Amino acid sequence: MEKREERNVEEMDMRQDIDPAADGAGTGGAGASAPSEKLKWWTEARFGMFIHFGLYATPARGEWVQSRTPIAPEDYETYFEQFDPDLYDPAEWAKAARAAGMKYVVLTAKHHEGFCLWDTKFTDYKVTNTPYGKDLLKPFVDAFRAEGLRVGLYYSLLDWHHPDFAIDTAHPLHPKDDADWNDPKAYVPLNANRDMAKYRQYMKDQVRELLTDFGRIDIMWFDFSYPKSIVPKGRDDWDSEGLLKMARSIQPWLIVDDRLDLDDKPWGWDFRTPEQFRMPVWPTVGGKRVPWETCQTFSGAWGYSRDEHTWKSAAQLLELLANTVSKGGNLILNVGPTARGEFDARAKDRLAAIGRWMRVNGRSIHGCTAAPEGFEAPEYSLLTYNPRMRRLYVHLVFYPMGALACSFADKIKWARFLHDGSEIEIKPLNHNLIDRYPEVPKHNFILPVAKPDVEMPVIEVQL
Ligand code: GLC
């Protein structure tokens, strides 16, 4: 059992092995570093909310619980019979997202378990047939739009409930025996009566429905392909090309992630998706910087996980946000609502802390990107830049005592703390130091010794 769990994790990680630069052709249709018109709102937004909500909120051990345990479909039915998020109030979710400074949201319309949050015509495995009995999706899109956020949908390519979805290593009905689990031949009899062509049609029907019945959808987040697995699935299994063409024919402005196994097609994806990874550099394809979004959890799992104790602090999350934007990327931060349909206290707490910071510092995130060439981040800081305003933002990840060396003082018109607008003076080093330590930058930002009462202070620099 334990071995299997490990494998499933590997299976997930495997996605990261797919070389993003495969043959250098993909530019995300985004014109490399210059975002296309379509991506403009998205790159300016910089910060979004992911929401993983489904039957898995009840076992409360993450959204992979069915595969990892594993739980046979007939036993998993219990969670379908129990699904009743009576406190679900998407207006509350949307308010929390907006207050945190998030500009878009992506909700799991269907995750790997196959359960659908809307009243789809193509399966009975949907919210309207649970004790809750109502569509969740329409109120959701309305509530988030009302708060001014753009709305995206996550659609799982995997489906552990659909009878025609071929069993693979992650499927809860995978072979029980370890040797068989590793042997592609062991899957052949298991899949004798499963017809992926029917499943492909099912996906098309559902995606068409999602893109037809809920107004404008800004993002489709397809998840995921594993062409290198022992029992692989990729573009042919999903008909990725057909699926994507159909989606775009309905809503041409759609922004699409990169998990359809179409890395080598320039039209096959719009942005890269390094998952749970703090990017140290701006990712490139064929030597060109590409649009990217890192998806991250507060704790570890995406679906509600009651007993997880690995929650990131507000300070870590803010650093992650500033780091992402300093490398030209977006951050989509995930909430896994509880089985009652609420954000739990730990998520609310982090969101509120982020919101307090964003209220005064959001200007260093929205509309920002990496600093232009030639600007070196002062020690322990992260730089972002708003090209339209020509302003540079120095995020003081660690708050230094008194003075902070600055190597671009000659380019600065004015500097101030962003949170209170108070002037930050820039002073030359004294002569003694200049003479004796010629390698030291010749100017300092002069900071108050006591750290201001803000999580990660930001210096706003007018160039
Ligand atoms: C992975 C996981 C999934 C999660 C997603 C978010 O693909 O399988 O549970 O939804 O990553 O990026």
Side-chain angles (χ1 to χ4, degrees):
M1 170 79 69
E2 223 173 77
K3 259 197 218 141
R4 236 170 235 147
E5 282 191 16
E6 265 171 39
R7 285 203 200 106
N8 282 337
V9 171
E10 271 166 30
E11 186 84 27
M12 293 166 74
D13 285 344
M14 204 171 51
R15 292 185 314 284
Q16 312 297 337
D17 300 341
I18 304 167
D19 179 8
D23 57 17
T27 59
S33 42
S36 69
E37 266 318 290
K38 185 175 75 171
L39 281 172
K40 200 162 171 287
W41 74 262
W42 183 85
T43 44
E44 295 207 342
R46 287 304 182 212
F47 191 28
M49 177 180 274
F50 223 157
I51 301 181
H52 278 62
F53 193 43
L55 301 182
Y56 42 78
T58 298
R61 302 195 296 278
E63 78 296 348
W64 271 71
V65 61
Q66 189 184 1
S67 162
R68 285 191 184 159
T69 310
I71 307 172
E74 60 271 24
D75 298 327
Y76 202 74
E77 282 288 306
T78 315
Y79 303 124
F80 182 80
E81 287 156 16
Q82 292 294 336
F83 191 75
D84 189 13
D86 59 325
L87 300 177
Y88 173 60
D89 180 359
E92 284 295 314
W93 295 7
K95 265 191 232 133
R98 185 169 110 138
M102 293 159 160
K103 299 283 190 189
Y104 61 100
V105 66
V106 177
L107 172 72
T108 53
K110 178 192 93 166
H111 204 267
H112 309 337
E113 64 180 3
F115 177 67
C116 300
L117 295 184
W118 77 105
D119 189 14
T120 170
K121 286 202 256 329
F122 303 98
T123 180
D124 292 333
Y125 204 49
K126 57 180 174 181
V127 64
T128 44
N129 292 332
T130 65
Y132 182 69
K134 284 171 284 191
D135 168 42
L136 275 169
L137 195 51
K138 186 72 175 59
F140 177 90
V141 298
D142 290 346
F144 277 82
R145 286 188 194 127
E147 288 292 335
L149 278 84
R150 303 259 190 163
V151 176
L153 297 176
Y154 169 111
Y155 185 83
S156 174
L157 301 168
L158 287 69
D159 195 314
W160 298 327
H161 183 266
H162 196 284
D164 285 302
F165 181 83
I167 294 170
D168 52 33
T169 58
H171 196 286
L173 296 178
H174 61 61
K176 296 289 166 277
D177 178 83
D178 263 5
D180 287 345
W181 188 88
N182 263 312
D183 178 4
K185 287 197 293 298
Y187 294 78
V188 177
L190 296 180
N191 288 324
N193 297 318
R194 290 175 177 251
D195 181 357
M196 278 295 282
K198 287 196 189 139
Y199 177 64
R200 280 191 286 280
Q201 188 56 46
Y202 175 74
M203 286 201 290
K204 276 192 195 131
D205 291 338
Q206 286 209 316
V207 171
R208 186 181 308 105
E209 192 175 50
L210 286 170
L211 292 175
T212 309
D213 294 354
F214 298 91
R216 181 182 167 118
I217 299 298
D218 284 291
I219 302 167
M220 272 309 290
W221 228 100
F222 293 107
D223 192 38
F224 67 92
S225 303
Y226 31 107
K228 293 182 185 164
S229 166
I230 338 170
V231 187
K233 283 197 181 72
R235 61 181 80 184
D236 296 338
D237 302 282
W238 322 127
D239 182 21
S240 295
E241 182 171 343
L243 189 61
L244 185 55
K245 286 197 171 143
M246 184 214 58
R248 288 205 160 124
S249 74
I250 306 172
Q251 303 218 22
W253 43 80
L254 272 184
I255 297 177
V256 178
D257 69 334
D258 65 346
R259 296 188 178 182
L260 281 165
D261 183 27
L262 293 173
D263 278 6
D264 56 332
K265 309 285 184 205
W267 46 264
W269 54 279
D270 292 308
F271 60 95
R272 288 299 195 220
T273 57
E275 176 176 333
Q276 302 279 45
F277 181 62
R278 184 185 170 282
M279 262 291 178
V281 292
W282 189 329
T284 59
V285 168
K288 287 194 176 157
R289 290 170 159 186
V290 290
W292 66 282
E293 171 189 78
T294 181
C295 44
Q296 301 269 351
T297 58
F298 282 124
S299 46
W302 298 86
Y304 179 57
S305 192
R306 183 188 59 199
D307 302 331
E308 220 164 33
H309 296 291
T310 48
W311 283 68
K312 296 162 188 114
S313 67
Q316 288 171 318
L317 293 163
L318 289 171
E319 190 276 344
L320 178 67
L321 177 59
N323 175 66
T324 303
V325 179
S326 79
K327 274 97 194 167
N330 283 20
L331 171 65
I332 185 162
L333 202 49
N334 180 71
V335 181
T338 70
R340 298 289 302 275
E342 284 199 308
F343 291 180
D344 79 280
R346 297 164 296 184
K348 283 186 188 154
D349 173 67
R350 303 307 187 282
L351 288 169
I354 293 171
R356 276 195 297 281
W357 186 87
M358 285 292 280
R359 194 178 70 81
V360 285
N361 293 299
R363 220 194 273 180
S364 73
I365 301 295
H366 300 139
C368 289
T369 185
E373 285 294 305
F375 287 90
E376 197 190 326
E379 280 187 294
Y380 308 119
S381 78
L382 291 165
L383 287 185
T384 65
Y385 177 66
N386 184 316
R388 206 164 41 82
M389 308 283 289
R390 294 186 29 83
R391 290 185 189 184
L392 199 63
Y393 296 96
V394 186
H395 297 77
L396 304 176
V397 175
F398 171 79
Y399 191 78
M401 45 151 237
L404 180 66
C406 173
S407 59
F408 47 83
D410 54 322
K411 306 198 177 88
I412 299 180
K413 219 180 342 180
W414 174 253
R416 61 176 187 171
F417 269 139
L418 191 50
H419 67 275
D420 67 355
S422 64
E423 178 178 12
I424 300 287
E425 289 183 285
I426 298 161
K427 292 200 170 150
L429 286 188
N430 73 41
H431 282 297
N432 234 343
L433 288 169
I434 293 190
D435 292 347
R436 304 189 68 180
Y437 307 106
E439 53 285 309
V440 173
K442 310 270 176 294
H443 290 83
N444 280 315
F445 290 110
I446 306 300
L447 304 173
V449 172
K451 183 186 168 199
D453 188 20
V454 55
E455 188 62 72
M456 174 177 58
V458 178
I459 307 173
E460 183 184 54
V461 172
Q462 297 178 16
L463 299 178

